[in-house]
Amino acid sequence: MNDPGLDEPISNDAQDVENQEKDEKEEKEEDEQAFLEPSRWWFASTAFPLIAGTFGPMASAFSICALVVHWRVYIPPGAAEQNGVPIPDPKWLIGINAAQLVLALMSNLFLLLNMARRVRFIIAQPITIAGWYLSSFALIGLCACTSGPLVIQPTSDHAFTQAYYYAIFSAGLYFLVATLMVVTVYGALRGHYDKEFQLTMSQRTLMLQTISFLVYLLAGAAVFSHIEGWAYLDAVYWADFTLLTVGIGDYSPSTHLGRGLLFPFAIGGIIILGLVIGSIRSLVLERGKLKMGARMVEKERRRLLKKMEKSDKNEILQPVTSTQGAMSRSSTKTLSDTLNERERRRQEFDLMRKIQEEAHTKRRWTSLIISGTTWFVLWFAGAAIFQAAEYGQKWSYFGSLYFSYTSLLTIGYGDFYPQSNSGKPFFVFWSLLAIPSLTILISNMGDTIVKGIRDVTLWIGNFTVLPGEQGVKATLKESANKMTRGRLFDDEVSEQPPGMLGETNRRGGDEAESDDKEGDRHPKSNPESAAQRVAGDHAKSEAARAKKQGEHGDEIPKGKRHYHVVLIKEISKVMKHLNSSPPRKYTFDEWAWYLKLIGEDENSADTHRAALRKPKPDGEGLGAALADPNKNVKWSWVGNRSPLMGNKEEAEWVLERLTTTLNRELEAMRREELEREGDGGEYSTKDKPGEGDGPSTDTIQTATSEKDHNKP
């Protein structure tokens, strides 16, 4: 008899567990083949909401600046427009301006709550989009009225204040972020991604950090305008170039109280600004790098497969079955030279490594070109606008370039500075865009130009004052081989594996193997650190062990207990690889060993297929298939189901699959024990835990069929 009241809670818990497992499974499938989706949908689902979360609060801050000050001034004879006499605005203009600010703040609030998952997507987004569009149209209408029907004659004696130009910038930003969110909603409704934002914690807090910085800037400006007797919007301009460390110098605290408060104000603002830029950098350089990198690998993969198909050199991509026997090598080899399936897969694996390297190089330089172009546009276009805004100072375009350059690099000499009512607001808006873009540019230069300069410096040092272990002759041969793309000294320069192992092998071949016998023979001038040496030596020894295992067919233990112990040991080793720098990239032999442990055999063509050039997302990546013993899947190293495709590091991918396999094995053992207990506890010695055969049938099960809808 069941206990009353327990059936429903137990069934609910079971349902929750099933739903959680289903969600995890769908997440794995989506993550493994996300690179097949065009990059524009990643921008729509992740980048656009974060851009809106950054620029939305900025637009609201500008709206506040447009509300607290009159929009028009009268210029007395002989005075400048920045010293004009304010003209009161009509009450209806102030009312509409205040109403649009309330709508915009509500839009920001609902977007923030949606990012924090407090309000549903389908409720928050219409409110956010409608509020921003209404605010934009309201400000556009007010600016049009002020410059049209409300214009005061003669125009030479009147001018617009900084608040008017802040309203223009605010209207443009509102329209931009509302349009971006329309694209985001459109992609969600079309089913390209979930209707809930899939954002990391740092990305969710980006909007909060941006709001904190802008509130800090506006509040600080209010305090210093009162202490120093500045106009409020002039104080906003001062706070902006102070917190951005430009330091133009046309405004500076003159009172003891103001100078004393500058100490905590400046350091606090710089810290908040650092958090904002760090989050933006995380979005652009980390998440964006992974997504765009995986997509570029997919494009490079398709390009190479198309090239191989046209040149009829795709024999290497065809699996070698037992009925076919051996297959001929490439056209440069004789037909008597043959490959078995493992050797063919090794060449396929090497081909994928080359694809990854080409895509990685293209991604780095593409990122540099995009960030560099953005920076140059801000520089040259900003200089042109400053020249037009500062017509009263008669700046030349070269002088404007000089001012923009010194401001972008936060040099801030102070010999040039904006004075007009249009120049100061534009400087605030422009600098808030320019300084973060410079940070991203410098980061991208570190992966390309700076790295190239470092490599050239080390190369010169290798045959001058800091001779390396390879010697001058070997260094020159290796350099010539790289510059000619393998046309020179190809036989004398051996190809190195990627990642940490390759860095280790470059230190000197056989000398590394004799270090234990002959002591420390590494030159003291070698710039490589001791930690890198140790990690590299471990990587080399593990690769050698995997190669030796491959020579014996990657045999796995027969007994379950021994097999489980091996899984645990390998999991422990792979966990150490997660924090490797550079990220650990496994050799083919290591991959073959790990795949054998989780149920895939590189020596057998049963689960191998020729790569599809233009596959469609099918939710059948190798990792998702191995997590489901009932799913059959065929794959190729250069196909869309390859574990080398996608956004995850290799160590992370291997660790997830090893732990999934171990968990499934232990669960199978637990079920067997429960079944035996249900049969009365009678079982033979062979059935005792740890004494039976090796991996369970579910784990070793491999696929023999291929989905028809995946065919091109």
Side-chain angles (χ1 to χ4, degrees), residues 271-320:
I271 291 174
I272 300 175
L273 178 64
L275 293 175
V276 175
I277 293 179
S279 297
I280 296 174
R281 184 181 182 277
S282 174
L283 165 67
V284 176
L285 299 181
E286 294 178 12
R287 294 289 298 176
K289 179 176 68 176
L290 290 176
K291 294 289 184 180
M292 300 302 294
R295 184 60 183 168
M296 283 190 172
V297 170
E298 170 64 11
K299 289 183 177 180
E300 184 67 19
R301 184 189 71 83
R302 294 185 182 185
R303 185 194 67 80
L304 183 60
L305 290 180
K306 182 178 180 180
K307 181 179 178 182
M308 294 177 68
E309 289 176 2
K310 286 185 176 180
S311 59
D312 198 21
K313 294 182 179 179
N314 58 347
E315 310 93 24
I316 191 65
L317 303 179
Q318 301 296 330
V320 178

Side-chain angles (χ1 to χ4, degrees), residues 342 541-550 554 587 589-590 593:
R342 185 184 180 93
S541 63
E542 290 176 3
R545 179 176 60 85
K547 184 177 182 180
K548 187 175 181 181
Q549 290 168 335
D554 287 326
T587 63
D589 292 308
E590 289 178 302
W593 168 243

Side-chain angles (χ1 to χ4, degrees), residues 230 234-235 237-238 241-242 248-253 418 424:
W230 298 331
D234 287 339
Y237 161 73
W238 169 84
F241 72 66
T242 298
I248 294 179
D250 51 336
Y251 285 84
S252 60
K424 291 177 181 178

Side-chain angles (χ1 to χ4, degrees), residues 537-584:
D537 289 339
H538 282 304
K540 189 172 183 179
S541 63
E542 290 176 3
R545 179 176 60 85
K547 184 177 182 180
K548 187 175 181 181
Q549 290 168 335
E551 293 173 354
H552 295 83
D554 287 326
E555 296 182 0
I556 58 177
K558 301 283 186 177
K560 286 187 177 181
R561 179 180 297 174
H562 191 188
Y563 174 63
H564 296 165
V565 170
V566 171
L567 280 176
I568 294 172
K569 287 183 177 180
E570 294 300 333
I571 289 173
S572 176
K573 291 178 181 178
V574 174
M575 288 182 66
K576 298 177 182 178
H577 301 160
L578 293 177
N579 297 323
S580 298
S581 181
R584 180 67 180 270

Side-chain angles (χ1 to χ4, degrees), residues 431-447:
S431 61
L432 289 174
L433 299 179
I435 303 304
S437 68
L438 176 64
T439 303
I440 296 173
L441 174 62
I442 293 175
S443 298
N444 288 327
M445 290 176 62
D447 293 335

Side-chain angles (χ1 to χ4, degrees), residues 293-306 308 317 347-363 495 611 636-639 642 644-645:
R295 184 60 183 168
M296 283 190 172
V297 170
E298 170 64 11
K299 289 183 177 180
E300 184 67 19
R301 184 189 71 83
R302 294 185 182 185
R303 185 194 67 80
L304 183 60
L305 290 180
K306 182 178 180 180
M308 294 177 68
L317 303 179
Q347 292 195 12
E348 194 178 67
F349 178 87
D350 293 338
L351 181 63
M352 188 63 200
R353 285 299 190 200
K354 292 181 179 179
I355 292 174
Q356 287 180 316
E357 183 62 28
E358 290 290 333
H360 179 63
T361 301
K362 287 183 179 180
R363 182 200 60 77
E495 185 176 355
S636 166
W637 280 113
V638 292
S642 170
L644 298 182
M645 299 292 292

Side-chain angles (χ1 to χ4, degrees), residues 62 65-67 69-73 81-83 159-169 231-238 251 418-428:
F62 290 166
C65 294
L67 179 63
V69 176
H70 300 300
W71 284 20
R72 298 166 298 173
V73 292
E81 64 177 23
Q82 58 267 28
N83 298 321
F160 297 117
T161 65
Q162 297 183 43
Y164 173 81
Y165 296 101
Y166 275 118
I168 294 176
F169 297 144
Y232 176 69
L233 295 185
D234 287 339
V236 171
Y237 161 73
W238 169 84
Y251 285 84
Q419 297 180 4
S420 65
N421 287 342
S422 57
K424 291 177 181 178
F426 177 73
F427 178 84
V428 173

Side-chain angles (χ1 to χ4, degrees), residues 355-375:
I355 292 174
Q356 287 180 316
E357 183 62 28
E358 290 290 333
H360 179 63
T361 301
K362 287 183 179 180
R363 182 200 60 77
R364 289 186 302 172
W365 287 100
T366 301
S367 299
L368 178 64
I369 291 172
I370 293 174
S371 58
T373 302
T374 302
W375 189 83

